[in-house]
Coordinates of all heavy atoms in Angstrom, one line a residue:
M1 N -12.3 -16.4 -12.6 CA -11.0 -17.0 -12.2 C -10.4 -16.2 -11.0 O -10.5 -15.0 -11.0 CB -10.1 -16.9 -13.4 CG -8.8 -17.6 -13.1 SD -7.8 -17.9 -14.7 CE -6.7 -16.5 -14.6
A2 N -9.9 -16.9 -10.1 CA -9.4 -16.3 -8.9 C -8.0 -15.6 -9.2 O -7.3 -16.0 -10.1 CB -9.1 -17.3 -7.8
Q3 N -7.8 -14.5 -8.5 CA -6.5 -13.8 -8.6 C -5.4 -14.6 -7.9 O -5.7 -15.3 -7.0 CB -6.6 -12.4 -8.0 CG -7.3 -11.4 -8.9 CD -7.3 -10.1 -8.2 OE1 -7.6 -9.9 -7.0 NE2 -6.8 -9.1 -9.0
T4 N -4.2 -14.4 -8.3 CA -3.1 -14.9 -7.7 C -2.5 -13.9 -6.6 O -2.8 -12.7 -6.7 CB -2.0 -15.3 -8.6 OG1 -1.4 -14.1 -9.2 CG2 -2.4 -16.3 -9.7
V5 N -1.6 -14.3 -5.8 CA -1.0 -13.4 -4.8 C -0.2 -12.3 -5.7 O -0.3 -11.2 -5.3 CB 0.0 -14.2 -3.9 CG1 0.9 -13.3 -3.1 CG2 -0.8 -15.1 -3.0
S6 N 0.5 -12.8 -6.6 CA 1.2 -11.8 -7.5 C 0.3 -10.7 -8.1 O 0.7 -9.5 -8.2 CB 2.0 -12.5 -8.6 OG 3.1 -13.2 -7.9
E7 N -0.8 -11.1 -8.6 CA -1.7 -10.2 -9.2 C -2.3 -9.2 -8.1 O -2.4 -8.0 -8.5 CB -2.9 -11.0 -9.8 CG -2.5 -11.7 -11.1 CD -3.6 -12.6 -11.6 OE1 -4.4 -13.1 -10.8 OE2 -3.6 -12.9 -12.8
V8 N -2.6 -9.7 -7.0 CA -3.1 -8.8 -5.9 C -2.0 -7.8 -5.5 O -2.2 -6.6 -5.4 CB -3.6 -9.6 -4.7 CG1 -3.8 -8.7 -3.5 CG2 -4.8 -10.5 -5.1
L9 N -0.8 -8.3 -5.3 CA 0.3 -7.4 -5.0 C 0.6 -6.4 -6.1 O 0.8 -5.2 -5.8 CB 1.6 -8.2 -4.7 CG 1.5 -9.0 -3.3 CD1 2.7 -9.9 -3.2 CD2 1.3 -8.0 -2.1
T10 N 0.5 -6.8 -7.3 CA 0.7 -5.9 -8.5 C -0.3 -4.8 -8.5 O 0.0 -3.6 -8.7 CB 0.7 -6.6 -9.8 OG1 1.8 -7.6 -9.8 CG2 0.7 -5.7 -11.0
A11 N -1.5 -5.1 -8.1 CA -2.6 -4.1 -8.1 C -2.4 -3.1 -7.0 O -2.8 -2.0 -7.0 CB -4.0 -4.8 -7.8
A12 N -1.6 -3.4 -5.9 CA -1.3 -2.5 -4.9 C 0.0 -1.7 -5.1 O 0.3 -0.9 -4.3 CB -1.2 -3.3 -3.6
T13 N 0.6 -1.9 -6.2 CA 1.9 -1.3 -6.6 C 1.7 0.2 -6.8 O 2.6 1.0 -6.5 CB 2.6 -1.9 -7.8 OG1 2.7 -3.3 -7.5 CG2 3.9 -1.3 -8.1
D14 N 0.5 0.7 -7.2 CA 0.3 2.1 -7.4 C 0.4 2.8 -6.0 O 0.9 3.9 -6.0 CB -1.1 2.4 -7.9 CG -1.2 2.1 -9.4 OD1 -0.2 1.8 -10.1 OD2 -2.4 2.0 -9.9
S15 N -0.1 2.2 -5.0 CA 0.1 2.7 -3.6 C 1.5 2.9 -3.2 O 2.0 3.8 -2.6 CB -0.7 1.9 -2.6 OG -2.1 2.1 -2.8
V16 N 2.3 1.8 -3.5 CA 3.8 1.8 -3.2 C 4.4 3.0 -4.0 O 5.2 3.7 -3.4 CB 4.4 0.5 -3.6 CG1 5.9 0.5 -3.5 CG2 3.9 -0.7 -2.8
T17 N 4.1 3.1 -5.2 CA 4.7 4.2 -6.1 C 4.3 5.5 -5.5 O 5.2 6.4 -5.5 CB 4.2 4.0 -7.5 OG1 4.5 2.7 -8.0 CG2 4.7 5.1 -8.5
L18 N 3.1 5.8 -5.1 CA 2.7 7.0 -4.6 C 3.4 7.3 -3.3 O 4.0 8.5 -3.2 CB 1.2 7.0 -4.3 CG 0.6 8.3 -3.8 CD1 -0.7 8.7 -4.4 CD2 0.6 8.3 -2.2
I19 N 3.5 6.4 -2.4 CA 4.2 6.7 -1.1 C 5.7 7.0 -1.3 O 6.2 8.0 -0.8 CB 4.1 5.5 -0.2 CG1 2.6 5.3 0.3 CG2 5.0 5.5 1.0 CD1 2.3 4.0 1.0
N20 N 6.3 6.2 -2.1 CA 7.7 6.4 -2.5 C 7.9 7.8 -3.2 O 8.9 8.4 -2.9 CB 8.3 5.3 -3.2 CG 8.4 4.0 -2.4 OD1 8.5 4.1 -1.2 ND2 8.4 2.9 -3.0
G21 N 7.0 8.1 -4.1 CA 7.1 9.4 -4.8 C 7.0 10.6 -3.9 O 7.6 11.6 -4.0
V22 N 6.0 10.5 -3.1 CA 5.7 11.7 -2.1 C 7.0 11.7 -1.2 O 7.5 12.9 -1.1 CB 4.5 11.4 -1.2 CG1 4.4 12.4 -0.1 CG2 3.2 11.5 -2.1
N23 N 7.4 10.7 -0.7 CA 8.6 10.7 0.2 C 9.9 11.2 -0.5 O 10.6 11.9 0.0 CB 8.9 9.3 0.8 CG 10.0 9.4 1.7 OD1 10.0 10.0 2.8 ND2 11.1 8.6 1.5
G24 N 10.0 10.8 -1.8 CA 11.2 11.2 -2.6 C 11.1 12.5 -3.3 O 12.0 13.0 -3.9
G25 N 9.9 13.2 -3.1 CA 9.7 14.5 -3.7 C 9.4 14.5 -5.2 O 9.5 15.5 -5.9
T26 N 9.1 13.3 -5.8 CA 8.8 13.3 -7.2 C 7.3 13.2 -7.5 O 6.9 13.3 -8.6 CB 9.4 12.0 -7.8 OG1 9.0 10.9 -7.2 CG2 11.0 12.1 -7.7
W27 N 6.5 13.1 -6.5 CA 5.0 13.1 -6.7 C 4.6 14.5 -6.5 O 4.9 15.3 -5.6 CB 4.4 12.2 -5.6 CG 3.0 11.8 -6.0 CD1 1.8 12.5 -5.6 CD2 2.6 10.7 -6.7 NE1 0.8 11.8 -6.1 CE2 1.2 10.7 -6.8 CE3 3.3 9.7 -7.3 CZ2 0.5 9.7 -7.4 CZ3 2.6 8.7 -8.0 CH2 1.2 8.7 -8.1
N28 N 3.7 15.0 -7.5 CA 3.3 16.4 -7.5 C 2.3 16.6 -6.4 O 1.1 16.2 -6.5 CB 2.7 16.7 -8.9 CG 2.3 18.2 -9.0 OD1 2.4 19.0 -8.1 ND2 1.7 18.6 -10.1
V29 N 2.6 17.3 -5.4 CA 1.8 17.7 -4.3 C 1.9 19.2 -4.0 O 1.4 19.6 -2.9 CB 2.2 16.9 -3.0 CG1 1.9 15.4 -3.2 CG2 3.6 17.1 -2.6
E30 N 2.3 20.0 -5.0 CA 2.5 21.4 -4.7 C 1.3 22.2 -4.4 O 1.4 23.2 -3.7 CB 3.3 22.0 -5.8 CG 2.6 22.1 -7.1 CD 3.4 22.7 -8.3 OE1 4.5 22.2 -8.5 OE2 3.0 23.7 -8.8
D31 N 0.1 21.7 -4.8 CA -1.2 22.5 -4.6 C -1.9 21.9 -3.4 O -3.1 22.1 -3.2 CB -2.0 22.4 -5.8 CG -1.4 23.2 -6.9 OD1 -0.7 24.2 -6.7 OD2 -1.7 22.9 -8.1
M32 N -1.2 21.1 -2.6 CA -1.9 20.4 -1.5 C -1.3 20.9 -0.1 O -0.1 21.2 -0.1 CB -1.6 18.9 -1.6 CG -2.3 18.2 -2.8 SD -1.9 16.5 -2.9 CE -2.8 15.8 -1.6
E33 N -2.1 20.9 0.9 CA -1.7 21.2 2.3 C -1.0 20.0 2.8 O -1.3 18.9 2.4 CB -2.9 21.6 3.1 CG -3.7 22.8 2.7 CD -2.9 24.1 2.9 OE1 -2.1 24.2 3.9 OE2 -3.1 25.0 2.1
Q34 N -0.1 20.1 3.8 CA 0.6 19.1 4.4 C -0.4 18.1 4.9 O -0.2 16.8 4.8 CB 1.6 19.5 5.4 CG 2.5 18.4 5.9 CD 3.3 17.8 4.8 OE1 4.0 18.5 4.1 NE2 3.2 16.4 4.6
S35 N -1.5 18.5 5.6 CA -2.4 17.6 6.2 C -3.1 16.7 5.1 O -3.4 15.5 5.3 CB -3.5 18.3 7.0 OG -4.2 19.2 6.1
E36 N -3.4 17.3 3.9 CA -3.9 16.5 2.8 C -3.0 15.5 2.2 O -3.3 14.4 1.9 CB -4.3 17.5 1.6 CG -5.4 18.4 2.0 CD -5.6 19.5 0.8 OE1 -4.7 20.1 0.4 OE2 -6.8 19.7 0.5
I37 N -1.7 15.9 2.2 CA -0.6 14.9 1.7 C -0.5 13.8 2.7 O -0.5 12.6 2.3 CB 0.7 15.7 1.6 CG1 0.6 16.8 0.6 CG2 1.8 14.6 1.3 CD1 1.8 17.7 0.6
N38 N -0.5 14.1 4.0 CA -0.4 13.1 5.0 C -1.6 12.1 5.0 O -1.5 10.9 5.1 CB -0.3 13.6 6.4 CG 1.1 14.3 6.6 OD1 1.9 14.2 5.8 ND2 1.2 15.0 7.7
D39 N -2.8 12.7 4.8 CA -4.1 11.9 4.6 C -4.0 11.0 3.4 O -4.3 9.8 3.5 CB -5.4 12.8 4.5 CG -5.7 13.4 5.8 OD1 -5.2 13.1 6.9 OD2 -6.5 14.3 5.7
M40 N -3.5 11.5 2.3 CA -3.3 10.7 1.1 C -2.3 9.5 1.3 O -2.6 8.4 0.9 CB -2.9 11.6 -0.1 CG -2.6 10.8 -1.4 SD -2.1 11.9 -2.7 CE -0.5 12.5 -2.1
V41 N -1.2 9.8 1.9 CA -0.2 8.8 2.2 C -0.8 7.8 3.2 O -0.7 6.5 3.0 CB 1.1 9.4 2.8 CG1 2.0 8.3 3.3 CG2 1.8 10.2 1.8
Q42 N -1.6 8.2 4.2 CA -2.2 7.3 5.1 C -3.2 6.4 4.4 O -3.3 5.2 4.7 CB -2.9 8.0 6.3 CG -3.4 7.1 7.4 CD -2.4 6.2 8.0 OE1 -1.4 6.7 8.5 NE2 -2.4 4.9 8.0
R43 N -4.0 6.9 3.5 CA -5.0 6.0 2.8 C -4.2 5.0 2.0 O -4.7 3.9 1.9 CB -5.8 6.9 1.8 CG -6.9 7.7 2.5 CD -7.9 8.3 1.5 NE -7.2 9.1 0.5 CZ -6.9 10.4 0.6 NH1 -7.2 11.1 1.7 NH2 -6.4 11.1 -0.4
N44 N -3.1 5.3 1.4 CA -2.4 4.3 0.7 C -1.7 3.3 1.5 O -1.6 2.1 1.2 CB -1.4 5.0 -0.3 CG -2.1 5.6 -1.5 OD1 -2.3 4.9 -2.5 ND2 -2.6 6.8 -1.4
I45 N -1.2 3.7 2.8 CA -0.7 2.8 3.7 C -1.8 1.8 4.1 O -1.6 0.6 4.1 CB -0.2 3.5 5.0 CG1 1.1 4.3 4.7 CG2 0.0 2.6 6.2 CD1 1.5 5.3 5.8
D46 N -3.0 2.3 4.4 CA -4.1 1.5 4.8 C -4.5 0.5 3.7 O -4.8 -0.7 3.9 CB -5.4 2.4 5.1 CG -5.2 3.2 6.3 OD1 -4.3 3.1 7.1 OD2 -6.0 4.2 6.4
H47 N -4.4 1.0 2.5 CA -4.7 0.1 1.3 C -3.7 -1.1 1.3 O -4.1 -2.2 1.1 CB -4.7 0.8 0.0 CG -4.9 0.0 -1.2 ND1 -3.9 -0.2 -2.1 CD2 -6.0 -0.7 -1.6 CE1 -4.4 -1.0 -3.1 NE2 -5.7 -1.4 -2.8
I48 N -2.5 -0.8 1.3 CA -1.4 -1.8 1.3 C -1.6 -2.8 2.5 O -1.5 -4.0 2.3 CB 0.0 -1.2 1.3 CG1 0.2 -0.4 0.0 CG2 1.0 -2.3 1.4 CD1 1.5 0.5 0.1
E49 N -1.8 -2.3 3.7 CA -2.0 -3.1 4.8 C -3.2 -4.1 4.7 O -3.1 -5.2 5.0 CB -2.2 -2.3 6.1 CG -0.9 -1.7 6.5 CD -1.0 -0.8 7.8 OE1 -2.1 -0.2 8.0 OE2 0.0 -0.6 8.5
L50 N -4.3 -3.5 4.0 CA -5.5 -4.4 3.8 C -5.1 -5.5 2.8 O -5.5 -6.7 3.0 CB -6.6 -3.5 3.2 CG -7.9 -4.2 2.8 CD1 -8.6 -4.7 4.1 CD2 -8.8 -3.2 2.1
V51 N -4.4 -5.1 1.7 CA -4.0 -6.1 0.7 C -3.1 -7.2 1.4 O -3.2 -8.4 1.1 CB -3.3 -5.5 -0.5 CG1 -2.6 -6.4 -1.4 CG2 -4.3 -4.6 -1.2
L52 N -2.1 -6.8 2.2 CA -1.2 -7.8 2.8 C -2.0 -8.7 3.8 O -1.5 -9.7 4.1 CB -0.1 -7.0 3.5 CG 0.9 -6.3 2.7 CD1 1.9 -5.6 3.5 CD2 1.5 -7.2 1.6
A53 N -3.1 -8.3 4.2 CA -3.9 -9.2 5.2 C -4.9 -10.1 4.4 O -5.5 -11.0 5.1 CB -4.7 -8.2 6.1
Y54 N -5.0 -10.1 3.1 CA -5.8 -11.0 2.4 C -5.4 -12.4 2.7 O -4.3 -12.8 2.7 CB -5.7 -10.8 0.9 CG -6.4 -9.6 0.2 CD1 -6.9 -8.6 0.9 CD2 -6.4 -9.5 -1.2 CE1 -7.6 -7.6 0.3 CE2 -7.0 -8.4 -1.8 CZ -7.6 -7.5 -1.1 OH -8.2 -6.5 -1.7
A55 N -6.5 -13.2 3.0 CA -6.3 -14.6 3.3 C -7.7 -15.3 3.1 O -8.7 -14.7 3.4 CB -5.8 -14.8 4.7
P56 N -7.6 -16.5 2.6 CA -8.9 -17.3 2.5 C -9.5 -17.5 3.9 O -8.7 -17.8 4.8 CB -8.5 -18.5 1.8 CG -7.1 -18.6 1.9 CD -6.5 -17.3 2.1
V57 N -10.8 -17.6 4.1 CA -11.4 -17.9 5.3 C -11.6 -19.4 5.6 O -11.7 -19.8 6.7 CB -12.8 -17.1 5.5 CG1 -12.5 -15.6 5.6 CG2 -13.7 -17.5 4.4
D58 N -11.6 -20.2 4.5 CA -11.7 -21.6 4.5 C -11.3 -22.2 3.2 O -10.9 -21.5 2.3 CB -13.2 -22.0 4.9 CG -14.2 -21.6 3.8 OD1 -13.9 -21.5 2.6 OD2 -15.4 -21.4 4.3
E59 N -11.3 -23.5 3.1 CA -10.8 -24.2 2.0 C -11.6 -23.9 0.7 O -11.1 -24.1 -0.5 CB -10.6 -25.7 2.2 CG -11.9 -26.4 2.5 CD -12.4 -26.3 3.9 OE1 -11.6 -25.9 4.8 OE2 -13.6 -26.7 4.2
D60 N -12.8 -23.4 0.8 CA -13.6 -23.1 -0.4 C -13.5 -21.7 -0.8 O -14.0 -21.3 -1.9 CB -15.1 -23.3 0.0 CG -15.4 -24.8 0.3 OD1 -14.7 -25.7 -0.4 OD2 -16.3 -25.1 1.1
D61 N -12.8 -20.9 -0.1 CA -12.6 -19.5 -0.4 C -11.4 -19.4 -1.4 O -10.3 -19.9 -1.1 CB -12.3 -18.7 0.9 CG -12.2 -17.2 0.7 OD1 -12.2 -16.8 -0.5 OD2 -12.0 -16.5 1.7
D62 N -11.6 -18.7 -2.5 CA -10.5 -18.6 -3.5 C -9.8 -17.3 -3.4 O -9.0 -16.9 -4.3 CB -11.1 -18.8 -4.9 CG -12.0 -17.7 -5.3 OD1 -12.4 -16.8 -4.6 OD2 -12.5 -17.7 -6.5
T63 N -9.9 -16.6 -2.3 CA -9.1 -15.4 -2.0 C -7.6 -15.8 -1.9 O -7.3 -16.8 -1.2 CB -9.5 -14.8 -0.6 OG1 -10.9 -14.4 -0.7 CG2 -8.7 -13.6 -0.3
P64 N -6.8 -15.1 -2.6 CA -5.4 -15.5 -2.5 C -4.8 -15.2 -1.1 O -5.1 -14.3 -0.5 CB -4.7 -14.6 -3.6 CG -5.6 -13.5 -3.9 CD -7.1 -14.0 -3.5
D65 N -3.9 -16.1 -0.7 CA -3.3 -16.0 0.6 C -2.1 -15.1 0.6 O -1.0 -15.6 0.7 CB -3.0 -17.4 1.1 CG -2.6 -17.4 2.6 OD1 -2.8 -16.4 3.2 OD2 -2.2 -18.5 3.1
V66 N -2.4 -13.9 0.5 CA -1.3 -12.9 0.5 C -0.6 -12.8 1.9 O 0.6 -12.8 2.0 CB -1.8 -11.5 0.2 CG1 -0.6 -10.4 0.2 CG2 -2.4 -11.5 -1.2
A67 N -1.4 -13.0 3.0 CA -0.9 -12.9 4.4 C 0.1 -14.1 4.6 O 1.1 -13.9 5.3 CB -2.0 -13.0 5.3
G68 N -0.2 -15.2 4.0 CA 0.6 -16.4 4.1 C 1.7 -16.5 3.1 O 2.5 -17.5 3.2
A69 N 1.8 -15.6 2.2 CA 2.8 -15.7 1.2 C 4.2 -15.4 1.7 O 4.3 -14.8 2.7 CB 2.5 -14.7 0.0
A70 N 5.2 -15.8 1.0 CA 6.6 -15.6 1.4 C 6.9 -14.1 1.6 O 6.4 -13.3 0.7 CB 7.6 -16.2 0.4
D71 N 7.6 -13.7 2.6 CA 7.9 -12.3 2.9 C 8.6 -11.7 1.7 O 8.5 -10.5 1.4 CB 8.7 -12.2 4.1 CG 7.9 -12.4 5.4 OD1 6.7 -12.4 5.3 OD2 8.5 -12.6 6.4
S72 N 9.4 -12.5 0.9 CA 10.2 -11.9 -0.2 C 9.2 -11.4 -1.2 O 9.6 -10.5 -2.0 CB 11.1 -13.0 -0.8 OG 10.3 -14.1 -1.3
K73 N 8.0 -11.9 -1.4 CA 7.1 -11.4 -2.4 C 6.5 -10.1 -1.9 O 6.0 -9.3 -2.8 CB 5.9 -12.4 -2.6 CG 6.3 -13.7 -3.3 CD 5.1 -14.5 -3.6 CE 5.5 -15.7 -4.4 NZ 4.4 -16.2 -5.1
K74 N 6.6 -9.7 -0.6 CA 5.9 -8.5 -0.1 C 6.9 -7.5 0.3 O 6.5 -6.4 0.9 CB 5.0 -8.9 1.1 CG 4.0 -10.0 0.7 CD 3.2 -10.5 2.0 CE 4.0 -11.5 2.8 NZ 3.1 -12.1 3.9
T75 N 8.2 -7.6 0.0 CA 9.2 -6.7 0.6 C 9.0 -5.3 0.2 O 9.0 -4.4 1.1 CB 10.6 -7.1 0.0 OG1 10.8 -8.5 0.4 CG2 11.7 -6.3 0.6
T76 N 8.7 -5.0 -1.0 CA 8.5 -3.6 -1.4 C 7.2 -3.0 -0.8 O 7.2 -1.8 -0.5 CB 8.4 -3.4 -3.0 OG1 7.4 -4.2 -3.4 CG2 9.7 -3.8 -3.7
H77 N 6.2 -3.8 -0.6 CA 5.0 -3.3 0.0 C 5.2 -3.0 1.5 O 4.7 -1.9 2.0 CB 3.9 -4.3 -0.2 CG 3.5 -4.5 -1.7 ND1 4.3 -5.3 -2.5 CD2 2.5 -4.0 -2.4 CE1 3.8 -5.2 -3.7 NE2 2.7 -4.5 -3.7
V78 N 5.9 -3.9 2.2 CA 6.1 -3.7 3.6 C 7.0 -2.4 3.8 O 6.8 -1.6 4.7 CB 6.8 -4.9 4.2 CG1 7.3 -4.7 5.6 CG2 5.8 -6.1 4.2
A79 N 8.0 -2.3 2.9 CA 8.9 -1.1 2.9 C 8.2 0.2 2.7 O 8.4 1.2 3.4 CB 10.1 -1.3 2.0
A80 N 7.2 0.2 1.8 CA 6.4 1.4 1.5 C 5.6 1.7 2.7 O 5.4 3.0 3.0 CB 5.6 1.1 0.3
I81 N 5.1 0.8 3.5 CA 4.3 1.1 4.7 C 5.3 1.8 5.7 O 4.8 2.9 6.2 CB 3.7 -0.2 5.3 CG1 2.6 -0.7 4.4 CG2 3.2 0.1 6.7 CD1 2.2 -2.1 4.8
A82 N 6.4 1.3 5.9 CA 7.4 1.9 6.8 C 7.8 3.3 6.3 O 7.9 4.2 7.1 CB 8.6 1.0 7.0
T83 N 8.0 3.4 5.0 CA 8.4 4.7 4.5 C 7.3 5.7 4.7 O 7.5 6.9 5.1 CB 8.7 4.6 3.0 OG1 9.8 3.8 2.8 CG2 8.9 5.9 2.3
G84 N 6.0 5.3 4.4 CA 4.9 6.2 4.6 C 4.7 6.6 6.0 O 4.4 7.8 6.3
K85 N 4.8 5.7 6.9 CA 4.6 6.0 8.4 C 5.7 7.0 8.8 O 5.4 8.0 9.6 CB 4.6 4.8 9.2 CG 3.4 4.0 9.0 CD 3.3 2.7 9.9 CE 2.0 2.0 9.7 NZ 1.9 0.8 10.5
A86 N 6.9 6.8 8.4 CA 8.1 7.7 8.7 C 7.8 9.1 8.1 O 8.1 10.1 8.7 CB 9.3 7.1 8.3
Y87 N 7.3 9.1 6.9 CA 7.0 10.4 6.3 C 6.0 11.2 7.0 O 6.1 12.4 7.3 CB 6.5 10.2 4.8 CG 6.1 11.4 4.1 CD1 7.1 12.3 3.5 CD2 4.8 12.0 4.2 CE1 6.8 13.5 2.9 CE2 4.4 13.2 3.6 CZ 5.4 13.9 3.0 OH 5.1 15.1 2.4
I88 N 4.9 10.5 7.4 CA 3.8 11.2 8.2 C 4.4 11.7 9.5 O 4.1 12.8 9.9 CB 2.6 10.3 8.3 CG1 1.9 10.1 7.0 CG2 1.7 10.9 9.3 CD1 0.8 9.0 7.0
A89 N 5.2 10.9 10.2 CA 5.7 11.2 11.5 C 6.6 12.5 11.3 O 6.6 13.3 12.2 CB 6.5 10.0 12.1
A90 N 7.4 12.5 10.3 CA 8.3 13.6 10.1 C 7.6 14.9 9.6 O 8.2 16.0 9.6 CB 9.4 13.3 9.0
N91 N 6.4 14.8 9.1 CA 5.7 15.9 8.5 C 4.3 16.2 9.2 O 3.4 16.7 8.5 CB 5.5 15.7 7.0 CG 6.8 15.7 6.3 OD1 7.3 16.8 6.0 ND2 7.3 14.5 5.9
S92 N 4.2 15.8 10.4 CA 3.0 16.1 11.2 C 3.1 17.4 12.0 O 4.1 17.9 12.3 CB 2.7 14.9 12.1 OG 2.4 13.8 11.4

């Protein structure tokens, strides 16, 4: 059974949580170097961007059309990308 847009976005919520937690100081990074933290945040940004780009390649493809979904469904994910990029820029 094919996943829905909501299921795909829910699966990416861990990345949103991580980025927001690192930025907000609630994610435990005390034993990490800043470069490691930045790399971790970037990997999660990359993951969210990949998920937001999901789209079927043709009418037979059952990949959910996350890219074509309403922006309101993707708001927290798009915001987390911006937050992560700002965090990395401020901590480079």
